[in-house]
Amino acid sequence: MYQTTYHRASSVDEAASLFAKGSDSKFLAGGQTLLPVMKQRLAGPSDVIDLGRIKELQGVELSGDTLTIKAATTYYDIMTNADVKQAIPAIAYLTSVLGDPAVRYRGTIGGSIANNDPAADFPAALLALGATVKTNKRSIAADDFFQGLFTTALEDGEIITAVSFPVPAKAGYEKMRHPASRFALTGVFVAQTKSGDVRVAATGASQTGVMRVPAIEAALKANWSPSAIDSVTISANGLLADIHGTAEYRANLIKVMAQRAVAAAR
Amino acid sequence: MGVEGIGARVVRKEDKRFITGKGRYVDDIKLTGMTHAYFIRSPHAHAKVKKIDSSAALKMPGVVAVLTGQQLVDDKVGNLICGWAITSKDGSPMKMGAWPAMAPETVRFVGQAVAVVIAESKNLARDAAEAVVIDYEELPAVADVHAAIKAGAPQLHPEAPGNQVYDWVLGDEGAVNAAFSKAANVVKLDLTNNRLAPNPMEPRAAIADYDSAEEHFTLYTTSQNPHVARLVLSAFYNIAPEHKLRVIAPDVGGGFGSKIYIYPEEMVALWASKRVGRPVKWTSDRTEAFLTDAHGRDHVTHAEMAFDANNKILGLRVKTYANFGAYMSLFSSAVPTYLYATLLSGQYVIPAIHAEVIGVYTNTTPVDAYRGAGRPEASYLLERMMETAARQLNVDPAALRKQNFITQFPYQTPVIMAYDVGDFNASLDAAMKAIDYAGFPARKAKAKADGKLRGIGVSCYIEACGIAPSKAVGSLGAGVGLWESAEVRVNPVGTIEILTGSHSHGQGHETTFCQLVAERLGVPISQVSIVHGDTDKVQFGMGTYGSRSAAVGLTAILKAMEKVESKAKKIAAHALEASEADIVIENGEFKVTGTDKAIALPMVALAAYTAHNLPEGMEPGLKESAFYDPTNFTFPAGAYICEVEVDPGTGKTSFINFVAADDFGRLINPMIVEGQVHGGLVQGIGQALLEHAIYDANGQPVTASFMDYAMPRADDVPSFNLSHTTTLCPGNPLGIKGCGEAGAIGASAAVINAITDAIGKNNLEMPATPDRVWRTIHAA
C-alpha cells in the first residue's frame, strides 16, 4: 500500500469538505473493493475519507410504499432488517447470497453501487425495482445512475446518502455464483410493480455492466410465470466471456436465472 | 490400545497453539537489525534482460541494496538443481537448461525474479522496486505443450532442442503390441490433467541471518524437509558448508509438496544476508505464490486399452506429454515418470503395459510434485479408462473392475512396482454397500422425473507411498536416499523427547508420534514431546512428503524405541535383581512378570543418568537413535464412489453422496486419518470441479488470484462418508501404509465418472465447471 492520509468523517458535509481538500481523495465505505485495490498498489489516493461511521448514513426506513436504505448500511444489517424482509424480501435474499460473511459484515449498499462492478448484485436490484439514488446534491433514477463498467452518474466528490425503493407487488433474485470470486457469474432480478409493470435486470452478463432485459420484461408482462420465458431468445452478442463462462453460457443463464427468480418471487 | 496408544482418537496436541494464534511461523520471527527483501519479477513470459538501472532506487529512503542476477553469477552462487536424473529412450541424459536464482540474461516465465531490493521495511523495498528501471527485449513465448513441441516454436533453452527435456519409456512395447493385435476390443481415451496451483494457507517465507564472526548462516524457512534444504544449499549452491548452515522450519502452514523444493528466494536471502551484513526477511504474498510456487499436474495423454472377448484386460498403451514449465524444479523429472508410469497397472491385472512420457519446457511457472505427484495422474487416467471401457463394452463399471482386480499377492506389475498386499474387492464392496450401489438405478429414475440428471462414478485407486527404499530409488536416478532417522531421548526424570527427520506441517506428528510411545511404554502423551524441523537439533532426515512420515519416519522412531526399551529393561532387571527376559513394560512401569516387583520409568531413567548402580560395563544415559530404510514402497488403496446431480439448466454439479473405503493398513489416530482423507478428497474434488491454473497463448497467467482461481470451499463439497478395510502392510513392523495423498489421488476420477454418467456423454475435461458441463450437455 502507498502512503495515504486517513480521515474519519462524522457528517456528510464534513466528508465532502475533507474530500475537496485532498489532491486525490477517495471515499471509503465498507472497503471491500478499495482496500484490496490499494493493497495491490493499483490505487494510491492521497486521502481516504471514511464514511462508515456517519450516523445519518446508517439504517433502514419503511414509509408507505417506499423502502429507504441509507448508503453506509452493511449487507448484514440489510439482510437481517425486519422492514426489508417484510417489504422487499428479494433484497434480503440478495444480501444473504452476496459475498461471504466477512464481506457482508463490512460491505455497504452505497459502496456497491458507487463502484458499479459489472458483476455486483445490488445494481440489478436498483435497476429492476426502479430505485432512486439519493446523494448530498440530488436524486438520480437508477435508469440514469448506472452508466457502464465501474461508471456512474456520480460527480467527483458527490456522496450517496441513501437508496429509495418503491415496494413492488412481487420481486425475486437468483444468481449463478462465480466459482472463484462468488460475484454473480450472472444474476437476474425480476420485479412486478404494483401498477402491473415488469422490470428485469441482469448483472454479471453484459460487457456494459448491469442491464435491463426487455425481451423477458415483455414476456413476463404478458404472463408472469417461469414458462413465459421459455420461448425468449437472448443473444450472446455483447455479453461477457471469460474462463468461467462463455457469452453463450451467460445468455442461457439470463433465461434460467430469470425463470428461477420468477418462481421465487414474493 | 491404551486411551492414548495406537488406534486412539487422541485430540491433537498442537491444536491448542494453532487455534489460539500461538503458532510460530517464519513470518512471526523478527530478528534484531532485520531487513526486508522485495523481488522484482518479470512481467514477460519470455524476454532478454537488457539493462537494469537501480540508481534512482538506491537513493530512496531506507534502501540498503539492490542486487541483480549478474551479481549472483559474479559471486559464483550455483544454479538451481533437479535431483532426479532421467534417461531418454535413446540413452541420452535429460536435457536441462540452467536456472539461476535471479535471471542475469533471460527470463522465461512471468514472475521469475530479476532483481531484489533490500530495505528497512517491506513497503520501502516495494517503493524502491518501482524505481528500478529494467529494459526488456520481449521474445516470443509458448505456454501450451502441443504448441511448444511444434517445429518453429519459441525455444526456451539451447540445451533442450525442440523444448524437449526427455522422451522416456517404461514397459515392454513388443508385448503391448502383441496384446493389442489379439484384442477383441480396444478402448481409446484422450485426456488432460489440469494444471493446479498448490495454495497452502501459509505462503512461503524465509529469513536468512549471517554471522560474520562465525561465518555461519541460519535460515528460517517454510520447508517440508529442512535437512534436504541444507544439503542442497551446501552441496550444490555453495552457500556454506553444512556445519556452517542451520536450517529451521518452525510451524509451517501446509505444503502439499510445494514446500519440498529449494526456491530462488531462500538462496537469494542467504546470499544477500552476507552481502548486506544483516538478516534478510522475505515473505511471499498470494500473487507471488501463484506465480512462483511450483505448480502441479499438467499432463496431456492419449491412452489405449485392449480387452479380450471376455472383457479381460490384455494391455495398456499410454503416451503422455508433461509440461514442466520454464525450469526443472527439484523433483520435477521424477513426477511424470517414476511416480506416474509405475502406477499404471492400478488395481488391475494388466499383462502388458507400455508408457512413453515426453517432458516439455514452456514459458510457465515450473511444475513439480503436488499432493499425490504423478499418482493422481495415473489413477485418473486408469479410472477414466475403466469407466469409458465399461460404457463402450456395455457392462457395469464396478463389475468390469472386479473382473480385472489383482487378487493374488505379492503381485509384480509390468511397470516396476511389486504390490505386497491388498484386498481390492473388500474396499469396492464396502464402498458399494455404503452408497447403496444396487439402489442407484431407481434413484436415477426418480431424479429424472424431477428434471435432474443423476450419475454415479467409481474410482479404485492405488498409490505407492512410504517413499522409499533408498537402493531402489537410487537405481532409478534419485540423488538422495529416502530412509528416515529418529532419536529417542529419555530425560533423567522420565520425560521423553523424540527427535525425527520427518516434518509436520499440518499432519499432526506431535500427537501421532507420541501415541507410539504411549503404546509402547504406557506413559501419557503429555510426557512426550516431538522435536523436528531444526538441523541443529535433529542430525539428519529426509522430511515429509509421499505419505512417508508414519510408514518410514515412525518406524525409525520404533527402531530407536526398541533400543531404548532393551537398555531400560537391562537397568530394571539389574535394579529388581531379576532376569532381563522376565521384564515386561506396563503402564509406565518395568515389571517382573508374574510378581508385584516393579520399577517406574522415571526411576529407570534416573538410574541411567546417576549411573550409581548400572549393570557392569553399561554406558550411562538413556538415549538411542536409529535409521530406517524401507524394503519396499507401501501401497495404500481404496474405492471411492460418488453420486451427483447435474442441473441441466446451469450445468452445476451437486453432490448427493460421496463414500470412501480406504485401506491404509494400521491407523495410528483414526481422527487424524479422517482429516487427511477429507483434505485430500477436497483437493481431488477441487481439481475435478474448480481448480485450473491457466495461461494465455503468450504465457501470461490468467488465474493469479483467488478472484479467478477457484479454490474449493466448504459449500462446494459434501459431508463425506468414510470407512476403512484393512490389510496390514508387511513391509514395516507397524503395518502402516500411509494416508496423506489418497483422497487427492482417487477423488477426481470418481467425480468426472459420475458427471459423465449423469449427462450421458463421456468426453468431459477437468475442471468440470458449470459452463463446461452445460456446453457438453448441449453439444451436438
Side-chain angles (χ1 to χ4, degrees):
Chain A
M1 195 179 281
Y2 294 113
Q3 289 277 354
T4 190
T5 305
Y6 170 87
H7 310 269
R8 181 180 291 167
S10 55
S11 71
V12 172
D13 288 346
E14 188 197 359
S17 128
L18 285 166
F19 187 94
K21 282 183 201 154
S23 60
D24 179 20
S25 301
K26 282 273 184 197
F27 290 120
L28 172 70
Q32 297 307 291
T33 300
L34 181 62
L35 294 183
V37 166
M38 286 174 68
K39 283 182 183 171
Q40 292 171 67
R41 297 190 163 210
L42 297 172
S46 62
D47 296 79
V48 170
I49 294 112
D50 188 351
L51 307 173
R53 309 289 180 100
I54 299 176
K55 286 219 165 58
E56 60 196 286
L57 295 182
Q58 298 283 347
V60 174
E61 286 167 10
L62 179 61
S63 169
D65 270 349
T66 302
L67 178 76
T68 300
I69 303 177
K70 306 282 185 64
T73 311
T74 64
Y75 304 133
Y76 177 81
D77 285 343
I78 297 168
M79 176 180 118
T80 52
N81 183 277
D83 287 338
V84 174
K85 287 200 270 191
Q86 182 253 315
I88 316 181
I91 287 183
Y93 173 73
L94 175 147
T95 40
S96 77
V97 295
L98 194 164
D100 54 33
V103 170
R104 292 194 285 271
Y105 277 115
R106 295 294 311 172
T108 68
I109 182 172
S112 171
I113 61 173
N115 188 48
N116 194 18
D117 187 298
D121 298 279
F122 255 116
L126 267 70
L127 199 55
L129 290 165
T132 302
V133 179
K134 304 278 175 68
T135 77
N136 57 340
K137 294 180 178 168
R138 55 188 168 144
S139 292
I140 310 168
D143 284 318
D144 303 323
F145 182 82
F146 300 107
Q147 300 190 344
L149 304 187
F150 300 102
T151 308
T152 68
L154 290 173
E155 289 164 8
D156 198 36
E158 190 171 6
I159 299 171
I160 300 170
T161 56
V163 181
S164 288
F165 297 92
V167 175
K170 278 181 176 176
Y173 181 66
E174 284 297 331
K175 74 166 166 179
M176 185 70 186
R177 287 180 177 201
H178 185 290
S181 71
R182 298 290 175 100
F183 273 78
L185 192 62
T186 287
V188 177
F189 202 106
V190 298
Q192 187 181 48
T193 67
K194 290 197 166 169
S195 61
D197 195 13
V198 172
R199 291 171 64 103
V200 175
T203 187
S206 168
Q207 292 170 13
T208 54
V210 66
M211 65 170 184
R212 300 269 297 272
V213 192
I216 293 178
E217 289 178 350
L220 290 176
K221 218 175 286 185
N223 174 15
W224 178 267
S225 79
S227 60
I229 302 169
D230 284 345
S231 56
V232 173
T233 304
I234 303 290
S235 167
N237 287 339
L239 297 191
L240 290 165
D242 56 33
I243 58 171
H244 295 286
T246 53
E248 292 73 23
Y249 181 61
R250 283 186 163 88
N252 167 68
L253 285 181
I254 290 174
K255 265 182 77 167
V256 173
M257 292 301 122
Q259 288 177 315
R260 293 178 187 182
V262 171
R266 285 191 286 147
Chain B
M1 120 187 157
V3 289
E4 295 182 329
I6 289 175
R9 305 174 75 91
V10 178
V11 172
R12 298 188 351 150
K13 288 172 73 175
E14 47 271 75
D15 282 348
K16 184 173 178 186
R17 76 172 184 277
F18 291 148
I19 64 180
T20 57
K22 304 286 188 193
R24 189 167 182 260
Y25 299 87
V26 172
D27 193 56
D28 295 321
I29 296 167
K30 292 171 180 63
L31 303 182
T32 307
M34 189 166 76
T35 63
H36 298 263
Y38 185 81
F39 283 88
I40 302 173
R41 300 183 181 282
S42 171
H44 306 295
H46 200 188
K48 291 271 183 213
V49 181
K50 305 289 281 186
K51 189 173 171 225
I52 301 176
D53 180 359
S54 45
S55 53
L58 284 165
K59 291 177 194 146
M60 290 178 66
V63 173
V64 177
V66 179
L67 304 173
T68 67
Q70 189 55 49
Q71 288 166 300
L72 206 60
V73 173
D74 295 345
D75 282 0
K76 298 188 168 47
V77 175
N79 291 321
L80 280 85
I81 61 158
C82 178
W84 198 306
I86 299 294
T87 304
S88 285
K89 65 181 180 185
D90 65 3
S92 63
M94 62 183 184
K95 300 177 173 66
M96 280 206 328
W99 185 6
M102 293 193 291
E105 289 173 0
T106 307
V107 287
R108 295 182 177 86
F109 67 97
V110 173
Q112 184 172 3
V114 178
V116 65
V117 180
I118 312 292
E120 299 293 343
S121 78
K122 190 171 182 179
N123 219 34
L124 290 170
R126 195 167 174 184
D127 286 344
E130 290 176 5
V132 175
V133 181
I134 302 179
D135 182 13
Y136 293 100
E137 177 192 332
E138 274 193 76
L139 299 171
V142 63
D144 173 75
V145 161
H146 285 311
I149 57 171
K150 279 208 181 96
Q155 299 291 298
L156 272 80
H157 298 279
E159 297 88 344
N163 296 320
Q164 187 173 300
V165 180
Y166 54 63
D167 181 351
W168 173 89
V169 291
L170 181 67
D172 185 338
E173 189 171 16
V176 169
N177 289 341
F180 275 78
S181 69
K182 62 180 179 185
N185 289 293
V186 172
V187 180
K188 297 181 181 180
L189 189 62
D190 285 285
L191 43 78
T192 300
N193 205 286
N194 41 322
R195 176 184 282 239
L196 305 176
N199 281 318
M201 193 180 290
E202 181 205 20
R204 289 189 294 120
I207 303 172
D209 183 13
Y210 180 66
D211 178 340
S212 59
E214 297 291 335
E215 298 182 332
H216 180 278
F217 289 89
T218 302
L219 175 66
Y220 302 85
T221 184
T222 48
S223 176
Q224 299 178 218
N225 43 349
H227 291 87
V228 176
R230 186 182 65 167
L231 172 69
V232 172
L233 289 164
S234 288
F236 296 97
Y237 302 154
N238 307 325
I239 297 287
E242 283 166 301
H243 68 302
K244 294 290 185 183
L245 173 59
R246 177 183 184 185
V247 179
I248 300 171
D251 284 332
V252 174
F256 313 117
S258 72
K259 292 173 182 168
I260 296 173
Y261 325 115
I262 319 303
Y263 286 92
E265 290 84 2
E266 295 100 278
M267 285 174 62
V268 170
L270 285 161
W271 166 73
S273 172
K274 186 173 178 181
R275 279 194 71 120
V276 305
R278 291 169 62 183
V280 174
K281 179 185 220 174
W282 170 75
T283 302
S284 170
D285 63 27
R286 188 57 67 181
T287 304
E288 286 180 292
F290 273 108
L291 297 179
T292 66
D293 290 5
H295 288 175
R297 321 282 192 252
D298 207 343
H299 285 193
V300 178
T301 296
H302 175 77
E304 300 180 359
M305 189 176 262
F307 288 85
D308 72 11
N310 298 317
N311 297 334
K312 281 275 196 190
I313 305 169
L314 296 172
L316 175 67
R317 184 186 276 154
V318 173
K319 185 170 186 178
T320 293
Y321 292 90
N323 188 344
F324 284 131
Y327 297 97
M328 295 299 287
S329 177
L330 192 63
F331 288 121
S332 58
S333 57
V335 176
T337 49
Y338 291 111
L339 293 176
Y340 166 68
T342 54
L343 273 302
L344 284 172
S345 196
Q347 298 190 354
Y348 311 107
V349 175
I350 307 179
I353 299 174
H354 183 258
E356 179 174 15
V357 180
I358 295 152
V360 180
Y361 276 128
T362 62
N363 293 108
T364 60
T365 298
V367 175
D368 207 323
Y370 166 68
R371 201 169 191 172
R375 292 153 292 169
E377 296 91 317
S379 186
Y380 181 71
L381 164 64
L382 269 178
E383 291 308 288
R384 287 291 294 128
M385 176 63 88
M386 293 305 282
E387 202 73 25
T388 304
R391 289 167 190 172
Q392 186 174 323
L393 301 173
N394 202 23
V395 293
D396 176 75
L400 181 68
R401 286 176 170 86
K402 286 181 164 230
Q403 192 186 344
N404 286 284
F405 273 161
I406 295 160
T407 54
Q408 301 295 315
F409 296 89
Y411 177 82
Q412 177 62 54
T413 72
V415 279
I416 298 177
M417 290 299 172
Y419 301 162
D420 48 8
V421 71
D423 187 344
F424 305 145
N425 276 302
S427 44
L428 182 53
D429 285 341
M432 289 169 73
K433 187 170 177 223
I435 206 158
D436 183 20
Y437 190 82
F440 175 74
R443 297 196 294 277
K444 186 179 176 96
K446 181 172 183 309
K448 191 177 178 187
D450 297 337
K452 294 290 177 115
L453 305 172
R454 193 175 281 216
I456 198 163
V458 177
S459 172
C460 297
Y461 74 90
I462 189 164
E463 48 171 335
C465 292
I467 291 173
S470 300
K471 194 173 169 185
V473 296
S475 74
L476 302 177
V480 289
L482 290 168
W483 44 265
E484 197 45 82
S485 80
E487 186 174 315
V488 175
R489 296 177 180 170
V490 182
N491 295 320
V493 290
T495 58
I496 298 167
E497 290 168 68
I498 305 284
L499 285 72
T500 173
S502 301
H503 185 273
S504 187
H505 34 277
Q507 292 85 349
H509 294 171
E510 289 171 53
T511 305
T512 50
F513 288 5
C514 294
Q515 288 184 250
L516 174 69
V517 179
E519 177 78 18
R520 303 285 302 188
L521 299 179
V523 298
I525 62 171
S526 60
Q527 288 190 29
V528 187
S529 66
I530 304 297
V531 178
H532 65 93
D534 185 339
T535 59
D536 263 15
K537 293 180 179 170
V538 178
Q539 189 240 334
F540 208 87
M542 298 311 298
T544 288
Y545 39 82
S547 305
R548 68 188 304 273
S549 297
V552 188
L554 193 59
T555 304
I557 296 171
L558 174 67
K559 297 286 179 189
M561 283 289 299
E562 286 171 350
K563 294 181 190 178
V564 163
E565 289 165 18
S566 170
K567 183 171 181 180
K569 280 181 178 177
K570 287 187 175 73
I571 296 168
H574 183 72
L576 297 169
E577 297 177 338
S579 161
E580 187 190 332
D582 291 336
I583 302 292
V584 293
I585 306 173
E586 277 173 20
N587 298 324
E589 289 187 325
F590 290 72
K591 291 182 175 168
V592 182
T593 186
T595 74
D596 59 358
K597 290 208 292 183
I599 178 171
L601 175 65
M603 298 311 293
V604 174
L606 195 61
Y609 286 94
T610 57
H612 295 161
N613 182 22
L614 288 176
E616 190 62 32
M618 178 181 277
E619 287 179 16
L622 193 52
K623 180 190 89 166
E624 299 287 350
S625 64
F627 285 73
Y628 172 70
D629 198 354
T631 54
N632 191 1
F633 293 87
T634 65
F635 297 96
Y640 297 158
I641 307 181
C642 83
E643 188 168 328
V644 301
E645 232 166 49
V646 175
D647 179 342
T650 63
K652 186 170 171 56
T653 298
S654 306
F655 288 95
I656 304 296
N657 200 353
F658 195 115
V659 304
D662 293 296
D663 180 355
F664 297 139
R666 191 181 309 283
L667 310 183
I668 304 299
N669 183 325
M671 180 196 74
I672 287 177
V673 169
E674 286 163 9
Q676 288 287 320
V677 175
H678 282 194
L681 291 173
V682 171
Q683 282 176 315
I685 290 170
Q687 174 167 28
L689 295 182
L690 296 160
E691 297 184 53
H692 194 187
I694 300 173
Y695 289 82
D696 72 12
N698 298 317
Q700 286 291 330
V702 177
T703 48
S705 86
F706 288 136
M707 292 295 281
D708 301 301
Y709 187 92
M711 287 293 281
R713 304 181 200 205
D715 66 356
D716 289 316
V717 297
S719 187
F720 299 109
N721 177 348
L722 308 187
S723 66
H724 299 281
T725 61
T726 302
T727 57
L728 293 178
C729 176
N732 62 69
L734 293 165
I736 291 168
K737 297 185 180 180
C739 67
E741 297 158 293
I745 290 169
S748 46
V751 174
I752 299 298
N753 287 342
I755 298 173
T756 51
D757 179 51
I759 66 176
K761 295 193 176 178
N762 194 55
N763 289 330
L764 178 69
E765 295 284 19
M766 299 190 290
T769 59
D771 174 31
R772 186 174 268 167
V773 172
W774 178 81
R775 282 184 283 123
T776 305
I777 292 172
H778 297 280

